[in-house]
Amino acid sequence: MPDYRDDLRLAHVLADAADAATMDRFKALDLKVETKPDMTPVSEADKAAEELIRGHLQRARPRDAVLGEEYGIEGTGPRRWVIDPIDGTKNYVRGVPVWATLISLMEAVEGGYQPVVGVVSAPALGRRWWAAKGHGAFTGRSLSSASRLHVSQVSRMADASFAYSSLSGWEDQGRLDGFLDLTKAVWRTRGYGDFWPYMMVAEGSVDICAEPELSLWDMAANAIVVTEAGGTFTGLDGRPGPHGGNAAASNGILHDEMLGYLNQRY
């Protein structure tokens, strides 16, 4: 099995640089925010963080391609870094500390690309999570100060904690009835949103989570952290990986039952 630890160390360096840049502008009174064509916000900090990461990668991994939310795809080849400079921009621009930089390395395999390294860094929360294929998932302050992640062993939906982002996307897709049935079947629901539910699935503090509409950069890093923690990450159609345009993550035990609810009236 390939050893991705050098790439993981580089991803931490990239996250350190992004954290410094994003925290420097967090809650800044003069933060500039624009609206993209898809009507989502983008701040100067999003752009600066992605530019910073791309600059580091150009020096450290010049042969690798880079795909980022703000500047698209650059380069070709079997290795591709996938970047979301600020996942949770709406939180960021309002001063809510739940946002993170997502960094993933994906490699070409039969049928497409799969994530092999992922770092999720949430500096305003003082948290970071990471994983490399075959090496497990961890959380902590640094590579040398970390604890291993494991998903929960909850086996009954009636005992499960379910995290989601919002109701509107489910309604837009015609999945609202199944979503609401799932919320009634579980023990607890919370609308944490963005990267955080996936990290809590990996930690074992949440058992299932799902979102109806996502981009690859929203999912790649989350996917490998969840799977290396022993969980399952698929699209709502059940296909493994972060390519479905939506996501469902779980401890694995409850995955098929969760998908059954979310697809039952679709």
Side-chain angles (χ1 to χ4, degrees):
M1 178 179 291
D3 188 338
Y4 297 104
R5 283 176 289 192
D6 283 346
D7 294 309
L8 180 60
R9 280 190 284 269
L10 173 59
H12 275 272
V13 171
L14 301 175
D16 289 342
D19 286 356
T22 52
M23 285 300 292
D24 184 58
R25 299 299 291 154
F26 185 48
K27 296 187 178 181
L29 296 178
D30 61 343
L31 181 72
K32 294 183 177 65
V33 182
E34 303 169 12
T35 300
K36 294 192 284 190
D38 64 0
M39 302 307 294
T40 60
V42 58
S43 74
E44 62 183 83
D46 292 80
K47 294 180 177 180
E50 185 168 321
E51 289 170 353
L52 192 64
I53 292 169
R54 285 176 179 269
H56 275 279
L57 286 171
Q58 197 168 40
R59 293 187 294 273
R61 298 288 191 275
R63 296 182 180 179
D64 293 352
V66 182
L67 171 65
E69 178 177 11
E70 307 307 334
Y71 296 106
I73 184 74
E74 183 178 2
T76 59
R79 288 165 47 99
R80 176 181 296 174
W81 294 86
V82 179
I83 311 299
D84 190 343
I86 300 179
D87 181 52
T89 298
K90 292 176 183 176
N91 283 346
Y92 184 88
V93 301
R94 290 296 301 273
V96 178
V98 183
W99 50 271
T101 296
L102 311 184
I103 300 169
S104 178
L105 172 64
M106 303 187 76
E107 282 198 341
V109 296
E110 187 176 345
Y113 286 80
Q114 70 171 9
V116 294
V117 167
V119 171
V120 176
S121 190
L125 294 176
R127 299 294 310 275
R128 185 177 290 185
W129 303 261
W130 62 88
K133 186 178 180 182
H135 295 285
F138 296 85
T139 186
R141 294 286 183 178
S142 66
L143 281 165
S144 59
S145 177
S147 55
R148 189 155 188 166
L149 300 176
H150 299 281
V151 296
S152 76
Q153 295 300 306
V154 172
S155 59
R156 295 176 66 245
M157 199 60 83
D159 298 325
S161 180
F162 171 42
Y164 62 94
S165 55
S166 68
L167 295 179
S168 60
W170 300 103
E171 186 171 21
D172 293 343
Q173 289 197 4
R175 297 180 187 265
L176 184 59
D177 288 340
F179 172 86
L180 291 175
D181 285 347
L182 177 57
T183 67
K184 295 170 187 174
V186 299
W187 165 64
R188 193 169 191 251
T189 62
R190 284 294 182 270
Y192 299 108
D194 301 309
F195 69 94
W196 209 6
Y198 303 98
M199 298 303 98
M200 288 190 280
V201 167
E203 291 179 337
S205 53
V206 163
D207 309 298
I208 58 175
C209 70
E211 289 185 271
E213 187 175 3
L214 293 166
S215 298
L216 179 60
W217 46 76
D218 298 313
M219 298 183 281
N222 294 333
I224 189 166
V225 174
V226 168
T227 55
E228 284 292 322
T232 300
F233 190 105
T234 72
L236 296 177
D237 61 2
R239 287 186 296 172
H243 296 284
N246 45 47
S250 75
N251 63 4
I253 304 168
L254 297 170
H255 203 82
D256 289 344
E257 190 174 355
M258 170 177 58
L259 292 180
Y261 276 102
L262 296 175
N263 289 309
Q264 66 181 354
R265 304 192 197 179
Y266 180 59

